[in-house]
């Protein structure tokens, strides 16, 4: 039945549900942050749980530094879930297989190969079985969202962030769709949400958005949208993760606006052209492509105006326990001054709660 619930995401309503009593609680749901600590008894972990309980935070992001042992992860995630049982937090991680994993053999988690190997050595059905075992392990530890599958095309063999680590299944869009579908189905079978990434396509890029500005104007092609078009059309996409990629033909005015802050990409291409009405989440907003060029206020305000539902901060660049409160304060201050911005928060809240209802 969970698979049917997730498939119903194509029909999401954006009406504001009855969960939130205040604008603060609505805005809080739009924030997902990284945290310090690797034990449920750590002060930083307790502080995050308190923010979740108060409705000022929508979820957390795990990095390898947070994983000391599987037992400790289970205890932390139990605390996070217990802090907000009625509206379960997004407890997120990147567990693709290969080089991009937060749960590793070092702590007793069974690792799997990178995407390019999975596709080369397995049929989509066989890949689904592999991902099903991985997903069972993830959900056992108490997570609710895995940031995958990678929908990028392996079109540039010299790509520094996708091809270098074998993160894409293929250069062929149809093949990518087949294996993305297997990844999603495996996660849905155990009640996990997924996030297609990195919209509108990082596979052809010649630079790494972790490090700085990435211009895909001369390398990107329409084919890179095909995995999104196909899977959105099938109604199986929970979230789309938007990357920090600049394309001159999709810039907002004269500004060199990355896709994560671009209304033309999010509201235009993703929402209107591709028909996606689910949750849109940013890639980490502390990557060099964003943090080196935009202030925190600019990032938050422009991201929400562009159509972003969830603002993801790893808290590795800012590195301060007050970050989520700062983001929340920016959201509330802007909402008080701009009714259209307030309406965007309400719209995002509706999408977020609709997805969270399916994670219970």
């Amino acid at each position: 039945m969970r698979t049917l619930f997730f498939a119903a995401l194509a029909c999401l309503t954006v009406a504001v549900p009855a969960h939130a009593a205040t604008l603060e609680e609505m805005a809080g749901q739009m924030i997902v942050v990284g945290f310090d600590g690797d034990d449920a008894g750590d002060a930083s972990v307790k502080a995050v749980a308190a923010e979740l309980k108060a409705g000022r935070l929508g979820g957390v992001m795990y990095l390898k530094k947070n994983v000391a042992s599987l037992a400790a992860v289970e205890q932390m995630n139990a605390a996070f879930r217990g802090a907000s049982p009625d509206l379960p937090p997004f407890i997120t991680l990147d567990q693709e297989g290969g080089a991009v994993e937060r749960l590793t053999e070092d702590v007793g988690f069974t690792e799997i190969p990178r995407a390019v190997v999975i596709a080369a050595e397995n049929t989509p059905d066989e890949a689904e079985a592999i991902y099903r075992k991985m997903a069972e392990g993830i959900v056992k530890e108490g997570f609710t969202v895995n940031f995958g599958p990678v929908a990028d095309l392996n079109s540039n063999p010299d790509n520094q962030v996708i091809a270098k680590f074998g993160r894409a299944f293929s250069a062929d869009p149809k093949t990518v769709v087949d294996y993305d579908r297997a990844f999603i189905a495996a996660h849905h079978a155990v009640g996990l949400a997924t996030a297609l990434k990195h919209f509108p396509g990082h596979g052809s890029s010649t630079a790494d958005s972790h490090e700085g500005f990435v211009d895909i104007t001369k390398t990107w092609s329409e084919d890179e949208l095909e995995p999104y078009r196909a899977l959105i059309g099938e109604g199986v996409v929970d979230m789309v993760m938007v990357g920090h990629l600049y394309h001159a033909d999709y810039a907002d005015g004269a500004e060199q606006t990355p896709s994560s802050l671009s209304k033309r990409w999010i509201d235009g291409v993703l929402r209107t052209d591709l028909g996606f009405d689910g949750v849109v989440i940013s890639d980490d907003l502390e990557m060099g492509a964003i943090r080196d060029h935009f202030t925190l206020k600019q990032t938050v305000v422009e991201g929400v105006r562009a159509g972003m539902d969830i603002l993801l901060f790893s808290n590795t660049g800012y590195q301060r326990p007050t970050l989520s409160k700062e983001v929340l304060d920016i959201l509330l201050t802007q909402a008080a001054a701009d009714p259209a911005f307030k309406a965007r928060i309400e719209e995002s809240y509706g999408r977020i709660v609709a997805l969270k209802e399916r994670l219970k």
Side-chain angles (χ1 to χ4, degrees), residues 9-128:
L9 287 171
C11 303
L12 285 179
T13 176
V14 295
V16 179
H19 281 280
T22 67
L23 183 66
E24 180 181 62
E25 290 171 324
M26 294 186 213
Q29 288 298 313
M30 299 177 69
I31 306 168
V32 173
V33 296
F35 61 99
D36 286 328
D38 58 16
D39 185 88
D42 290 343
S44 55
V45 174
K46 290 180 178 179
V48 168
E51 291 294 287
L52 291 168
K53 184 175 182 179
R56 293 191 294 263
L57 186 63
V60 297
M61 174 189 183
Y62 268 75
L63 297 173
K64 280 188 178 179
K65 68 177 184 178
N66 305 119
V67 182
S69 71
L70 296 182
V73 167
E74 285 189 51
Q75 291 171 0
M76 287 189 291
N77 287 346
F80 295 148
R81 283 174 173 267
S84 183
D86 293 333
L87 199 56
F90 289 133
I91 306 176
T92 72
L93 81 168
D94 287 283
Q95 192 74 16
E96 298 174 14
V100 182
E101 295 181 315
R102 304 297 180 242
L103 306 175
T104 65
E105 289 180 351
D106 290 342
V107 294
F109 194 88
T110 301
E111 297 184 31
I112 66 169
R114 54 190 180 164
V116 69
V117 174
I118 292 283
E121 298 182 356
N122 300 274
T123 66
D125 285 345
E126 291 168 339
E128 183 175 340

Side-chain angles (χ1 to χ4, degrees), residues 7-328:
L9 287 171
C11 303
L12 285 179
T13 176
V14 295
V16 179
H19 281 280
T22 67
L23 183 66
E24 180 181 62
E25 290 171 324
M26 294 186 213
Q29 288 298 313
M30 299 177 69
I31 306 168
V32 173
V33 296
F35 61 99
D36 286 328
D38 58 16
D39 185 88
D42 290 343
S44 55
V45 174
K46 290 180 178 179
V48 168
E51 291 294 287
L52 291 168
K53 184 175 182 179
R56 293 191 294 263
L57 186 63
V60 297
M61 174 189 183
Y62 268 75
L63 297 173
K64 280 188 178 179
K65 68 177 184 178
N66 305 119
V67 182
S69 71
L70 296 182
V73 167
E74 285 189 51
Q75 291 171 0
M76 287 189 291
N77 287 346
F80 295 148
R81 283 174 173 267
S84 183
D86 293 333
L87 199 56
F90 289 133
I91 306 176
T92 72
L93 81 168
D94 287 283
Q95 192 74 16
E96 298 174 14
V100 182
E101 295 181 315
R102 304 297 180 242
L103 306 175
T104 65
E105 289 180 351
D106 290 342
V107 294
F109 194 88
T110 301
E111 297 184 31
I112 66 169
R114 54 190 180 164
V116 69
V117 174
I118 292 283
E121 298 182 356
N122 300 274
T123 66
D125 285 345
E126 291 168 339
E128 183 175 340
I130 293 169
Y131 286 123
R132 174 68 179 267
K133 290 181 180 178
M134 181 183 77
E136 288 171 347
I138 294 170
V139 80
K140 179 180 179 294
E141 303 309 321
F143 292 94
T144 60
V145 181
N146 187 8
F147 291 144
V150 169
D152 300 313
L153 305 187
N154 198 30
S155 49
N156 175 13
D158 296 322
N159 180 280
Q160 300 171 27
V161 67
I162 303 299
K164 179 180 179 180
F165 300 104
R167 298 173 67 190
F169 289 109
S170 174
D172 173 51
K174 184 181 183 304
T175 301
V176 171
V177 169
D178 289 342
Y179 286 89
D180 279 355
R181 186 188 296 113
F183 185 105
I184 292 170
H187 285 67
H188 284 182
V190 299
L192 282 170
T194 60
L196 276 185
K197 61 185 187 184
H198 308 79
F199 181 86
H202 213 321
S204 64
S205 67
T206 57
D208 182 353
S209 54
H210 291 83
E211 304 300 329
F213 183 75
V214 177
D215 188 342
I216 59 171
T217 305
K218 295 180 179 179
T219 60
W220 185 84
S221 73
E222 291 271 347
D223 285 350
E224 296 183 62
L225 294 179
E226 286 307 308
Y228 299 94
R229 180 176 287 109
L231 294 166
I232 288 168
E234 294 176 16
V236 297
V237 181
D238 310 317
M239 298 184 183
V240 170
M241 177 177 282
V242 181
H244 312 308
L245 307 162
Y246 168 73
H247 193 303
D249 294 341
Y250 295 88
D252 293 342
E255 299 297 323
Q256 290 186 321
T257 314
S259 46
S260 54
L261 307 183
S262 168
K263 189 176 182 68
R264 292 189 65 183
W265 273 121
I266 299 173
D267 267 357
V269 177
L270 184 55
R271 297 283 191 210
T272 303
D273 297 349
L274 301 183
F276 184 60
D277 197 27
V279 173
V280 175
I281 185 170
S282 71
D283 205 345
D284 179 15
L285 290 168
E286 294 178 61
M287 291 181 181
I290 298 295
R291 193 162 169 266
D292 293 347
H293 301 277
F294 301 90
T295 66
L296 181 60
K297 180 179 178 180
Q298 287 173 327
T299 299
V300 171
V301 172
E302 295 310 311
V304 173
R305 282 179 174 164
M308 196 69 66
D309 295 314
I310 297 177
L311 305 166
L312 179 67
F313 291 89
S314 65
N315 211 354
T316 54
Y318 292 110
Q319 290 186 322
R320 51 187 186 250
T322 60
L323 178 60
S324 63
K325 183 182 184 302
E326 292 172 45
V327 174
L328 182 58

